Amino acid sequence: MLECLILGDSIAVGIGQARTECVTLARSGITSEGWYKGYAYNPYFRDPYRVVVISLGTNDMRGMTAEMLFSIRQKVNAQMVIWVLPSSTLKPVQFSVVKELANEFKDQIVSIHDLVGPDGIHPPTATAYQKLSDRTKQLTKK
């Protein structure tokens, strides 16, 4: 069993840069559907992990978030899954979908609300990404 996997969008890319011990399958600007098409059959995604951190949904249009995220989550093989919540202000539908899905699977969630920069979505600095990364590490110690 591998230690951790980080999957998703640009926020996942930033977390992966801070958590170099993890496998990262992420791309900036990717939607949940794009992630599924590009990575769901990647051998690294199929491996079992102790922890998987997911940051997806922010780049999705309203109608496709729930179905695609559910499909991705069903395929995750991990002892613990941590979801990074999208912006509740700029992406309220996606925020709700991710939160509901995490609750359904009894996964952990981490908020980035207090770490986002001027765009309202992304942490603006490497230091902010390190803090977000540290939050995911703290959840694994519970």
Side-chain angles (χ1 to χ4, degrees):
M1 177 176 300
L2 298 170
E3 178 61 24
C4 63
L5 169 68
I6 299 166
L7 62 89
D9 53 25
S10 57
I11 295 168
V13 170
I15 296 169
Q17 290 171 347
R19 293 198 64 180
T20 57
E21 76 278 12
C22 299
V23 173
T24 301
L25 298 176
R27 192 179 82 213
S28 294
I30 201 164
T31 63
S32 298
E33 181 178 24
W35 192 93
Y36 187 86
K37 287 179 179 178
Y39 295 103
Y41 298 99
N42 184 302
Y44 284 112
F45 182 59
R46 298 290 189 185
D47 288 337
Y49 291 89
R50 193 172 78 74
V51 178
V52 172
V53 178
I54 303 172
S55 177
L56 281 169
T58 295
N59 299 310
D60 293 355
M61 296 299 180
R62 288 179 179 232
M64 59 194 267
T65 301
E67 182 180 325
M68 291 311 310
L69 290 179
F70 185 82
S71 295
I72 292 166
R73 178 58 183 89
Q74 280 188 305
K75 291 178 177 12
V76 169
N77 184 1
Q79 292 176 348
M80 174 186 274
V81 175
I82 301 169
W83 292 87
V84 178
L85 291 172
S87 168
S88 61
T89 306
L90 297 178
K91 301 290 184 166
V93 172
Q94 293 84 342
F95 174 88
S96 294
V97 167
V98 169
K99 195 169 184 177
E100 288 172 20
L101 190 61
N103 287 336
E104 181 177 336
F105 281 93
K106 297 182 178 20
D107 296 334
Q108 300 292 315
I109 56 173
V110 63
S111 173
I112 63 169
H113 179 75
D114 63 320
L115 296 175
V116 298
D119 71 355
I121 294 176
H122 301 93
T125 64
T127 301
Y129 274 107
Q130 185 61 56
K131 287 180 182 177
L132 180 56
S133 170
D134 291 345
R135 288 179 185 178
T136 66
K137 287 181 185 178
Q138 289 296 325
L139 286 173
T140 64
K141 294 178 182 179
K142 288 185 177 182

